[in-house]
Amino acid sequence: MDYDIKDLTAAPKGRLRMEWAARSMPVLGKIKETFAKEKPLRGVRISACLHVTSETANLMEALKLGGADVRLCASNPLSTQDDIPAALVKYHKIPVFAIKGEDHETYYRHILQALDHGPAITMDDGADLVSVTHSKRRDLLPGILAGTEETTTGVIRLKSMARDGVLRYPIIAVNDAQTKHLFDNRYGTGQSTLDGILRATNVLLAGLKFVVAGYGMCGKGVAMRASGAGAHVIVTEINPIRAIEAVMDGYEVMPMAAAAAIGDVFLTVTGNKAVVRKEHFLRMKDGAIVANAGHFNVEIDIPALEVLSLGKRRVREFVDEYTLRDGKRVHLLGEGRLINLAAAEGHPAMVMDMSFANQALSVRWLLDRGEGLDKTVFPVPREIDEAIAALKLASMGAAIDKLTAAQKKYLADWREGT
Ligand code: ADE
């Protein structure tokens, strides 16, 4: 079997971590059972480009149990948990191409290797796999039925491809399912980002000025958790409506140029580039910490920081200390890559359960639906979103009410007022 991983002997540790994650993934567990019985993905070649974590491993196991022929590569050079590829290769016979810390060239070679079997379905996180099929492996396009996309950044890229008329197969935006972004983006990013910052630095959050750039679902989650830990949260935004939300949620809102001078920790979650840049680094206090939790490492202008600096040294595993010309030090975490996956373990399994249930059921839906979908970006079908919500709620031991007949009638009848 073809694969490229760091160390096959780490497989037993990876298997234990997969099992640990599975305990908090009851919805995916149910899907595994159904897939194992019904084999809805029999013989379907799937190329997946995802963060190679214990949660992703459980999704790969589900697809394989469903009969799929899966290959997996990393969606970020720093997010792979090296014991997981080992477990997938050794115990599940799934070809994996991912090594934590792989360089740029290896990252793209791994994507090409994951595509080598000629997929019918692509499963992406950030749209690099789709971008490679549309550039270097266009020969594969006629064989690809459809794809799925996990994250906000990927969905934005794909929508722009669809707008430009260059997207060559339909893709489901898993990110946009309610059971995905309302939970994974908010509670997952909220918790795992602080986990990453804390593992990297061990700073005390209480009393710190914590600047969150971007108040989408991810920014909301980070701000909420940082505030809960006692930090004084400052939000920067370009969207006036989100900025009002941030103010009414109790945070200070100001431009980055103003926040730069007072922040202790800066965290970007915008999906855009150069959100923290030259003029901001120049204003920062000595010892400022800068990190990113957006998908790509472009949100912090690292080339500008390099130019401004006399030198840099690695002072902790995930901390690079840059010394500016005036002697001031700026600390960049995790090379500006997703800090929750670079320095910690990504979102907890409890929340990835719903995200990956959406992935698995969306693939099944695409196969059932077959050819004929427009070459554009589709939402997760509502019935899938609601079924996942119902299963998750039941797994958490929570129950909800049902509408009475009179209430249903009331909702349907415009005549009844006070
Ligand atoms: N994205 C964020 N957290 C993740 C995780 N634990 N596994 C896979 N993808 C993720």
Side-chain angles (χ1 to χ4, degrees), residues 310-347:
L310 291 174
K312 74 170 174 190
R313 58 183 186 134
R314 183 146 296 182
V315 291
R316 287 170 65 96
E317 192 180 357
F318 295 104
V319 186
D320 288 329
E321 177 193 80
Y322 287 79
T323 305
L324 276 54
R325 291 207 177 77
D326 60 359
K328 186 172 75 185
R329 291 156 301 175
V330 172
H331 299 116
L332 176 67
L333 305 192
E335 299 170 17
R337 299 199 185 272
L338 291 149
I339 195 60
N340 56 335
L341 282 141
E345 293 171 65
H347 304 351

Side-chain angles (χ1 to χ4, degrees), residues 50-57 75 81 125 150-151 180 184 188-189 192 338 340-341 345-349 351-352 356:
L50 299 168
H51 299 297
V52 183
T53 64
S54 55
E55 294 77 23
T56 297
S75 59
Q81 300 166 359
D125 185 338
E150 170 76 7
T151 200
K180 200 280 185 182
D184 166 316
T189 309
S192 63
L338 291 149
N340 56 335
L341 282 141
E345 293 171 65
H347 304 351
V351 81
M352 293 312 294
F356 286 166

Side-chain angles (χ1 to χ4, degrees), residues 351-362:
V351 81
M352 293 312 294
D353 187 27
M354 287 188 280
S355 310
F356 286 166
N358 274 290
Q359 286 282 7
L361 296 182
S362 293

Side-chain angles (χ1 to χ4, degrees), residues 42-186:
R42 191 187 300 278
V44 176
R45 286 189 295 278
I46 301 178
S47 297
C49 178
L50 299 168
H51 299 297
V52 183
T53 64
S54 55
E55 294 77 23
T56 297
N58 277 284
L59 171 61
M60 295 301 106
E61 189 191 359
L63 301 177
K64 176 118 195 212
L65 286 169
D69 165 6
V70 196
R71 287 165 85 92
L72 172 67
C73 65
S75 59
N76 185 293
L78 260 194
S79 61
T80 300
Q81 300 166 359
D82 284 317
D83 51 347
I84 293 300
L88 285 173
V89 168
K90 181 157 182 170
Y91 303 119
H92 298 276
K93 307 290 172 237
I94 294 177
V96 185
F97 307 89
I99 299 172
K100 186 172 176 106
E102 61 197 15
D103 61 21
H104 187 261
E105 191 198 320
T106 311
Y107 174 75
Y108 278 101
R109 176 165 49 78
H110 282 163
I111 291 183
L112 288 168
Q113 286 176 294
L115 285 166
D116 257 356
H117 63 163
I121 298 281
T122 62
M123 187 176 276
D124 217 344
D125 185 338
D128 277 345
L129 189 74
V130 171
S131 157
V132 169
T133 60
H134 284 69
S135 51
K136 293 199 189 90
R137 289 302 311 265
R138 292 189 68 80
D139 58 303
L140 298 177
L141 288 170
I144 302 179
L145 174 74
T148 59
E149 169 54 52
E150 170 76 7
T151 200
T152 317
T153 296
V155 171
I156 291 169
R157 277 177 102 184
L158 295 169
K159 285 188 174 160
S160 117
M161 286 176 81
R163 239 189 346 266
D164 287 353
V166 297
L167 187 64
R168 293 286 307 278
Y169 56 88
I171 301 202
I172 289 193
V174 166
N175 180 71
D176 297 354
Q178 300 204 63
T179 46
K180 200 280 185 182
H181 70 272
L182 291 179
F183 305 97
D184 166 316
N185 300 29
R186 180 167 37 183

